[in-house]
């Protein structure tokens, strides 16, 4: 029960802020060496805010256009900031793979990106359904999402 609470958060200037649970960048107002932003908390709710030195700008992962059943391939994931550098530290990515039959459980759903890089192994069984497969990767803080397709044949 209770009522929503509107609060103002103030931190030192110079950071890019993200609403971790909302997967979005927070807009701030800067003044006198500080930055502030409003935050609405639902009754009994919490907020998790991440402060990064630079903004997350791009998520990349090339995929092969075709993959053979029974083969193994690697998906090299790269995360870049606004200066086109990999951000230091750890970020989280959500990976979902969908075969023509539906969601495919053959890879770990949550992957840790270390210093802007992660290699995701993709090992298809010999019985992998042929057809278009979709690979979706979502960077957890910013909500950046990339969807690619590959043909299994």
């Amino acid at each position: 029960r209770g009522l929503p609470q509107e609060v103002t958060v103030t931190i030192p200037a110079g950071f890019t802020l993200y609403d971790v649970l909302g997967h979005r960048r927070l807009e701030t107002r800067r003044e006198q060496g500080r930055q502030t932003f409003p935050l609405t908390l639902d009754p009994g709710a919490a907020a998790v805010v991440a402060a990064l030195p630079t903004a997350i700008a791009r998520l990349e992962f090339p995929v092969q256009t075709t993959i053979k059943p029974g083969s193994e391939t690697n998906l090299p994931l790269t995360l870049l900031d606004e200066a086109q550098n990999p951000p230091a530290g750890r970020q989280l990515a959500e990976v979902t793979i969908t075969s023509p039959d539906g969601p495919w459980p053959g890879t770990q759903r949550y992957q840790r990106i270390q210093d802007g890089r992660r290699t995701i192994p993709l090992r298809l069984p010999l019985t992998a359904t042929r057809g278009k497969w979709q690979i979706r990767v979502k960077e957890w803080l910013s909500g950046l999402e990339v969807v690619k397709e590959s043909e299994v044949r």
Side-chain angles (χ1 to χ4, degrees):
R1 300 181 200 228
L3 298 171
Q5 298 294 311
E6 182 76 29
V7 297
T8 299
V9 179
T10 302
I11 70 163
F15 294 97
T16 303
L17 303 177
Y18 292 94
D19 173 354
V20 176
L21 303 177
H23 314 293
R24 64 184 180 90
R25 185 173 174 173
L26 295 169
E27 298 301 321
T28 64
R29 194 179 71 228
R30 295 177 187 223
E31 57 184 45
Q32 299 176 348
R34 298 179 300 180
Q35 55 192 25
T36 62
F37 62 96
L39 189 62
T40 302
L41 297 173
D42 290 331
V48 180
V49 176
L52 300 182
T54 57
I56 295 170
R58 205 165 80 223
L59 176 63
E60 300 175 345
F61 70 98
V63 297
Q64 297 175 356
T65 55
T66 60
I67 303 172
K68 293 181 181 181
S71 68
E72 178 179 339
T73 188
N74 287 320
L75 305 174
L77 185 66
T78 303
L79 188 63
L80 299 171
D81 63 20
E82 289 178 325
Q84 302 307 304
N85 295 314
R90 297 177 181 159
Q91 288 80 30
L92 182 66
E94 181 180 6
V95 178
T96 54
I97 299 177
T98 307
S99 77
D101 295 333
W104 186 68
T107 193
Q108 185 176 340
R109 183 171 181 180
Y110 295 100
Q111 302 274 340
R112 183 184 71 215
I113 303 170
Q114 179 71 44
D115 297 328
R117 308 246 189 260
R118 176 70 179 190
T119 299
I120 301 168
L122 180 60
R123 297 177 186 100
L124 296 181
L126 286 169
T127 58
T129 303
R130 284 160 169 66
K132 294 240 184 251
W133 286 51
Q134 184 183 76
I135 303 164
R136 182 181 69 84
V137 177
K138 177 181 178 179
E139 193 280 325
W140 199 252
L141 290 181
S142 65
L144 280 176
E145 189 173 305
V146 177
V147 178
K148 301 271 180 111
E149 283 191 348
S150 190
E151 179 84 23
V152 173
R153 59 180 166 155

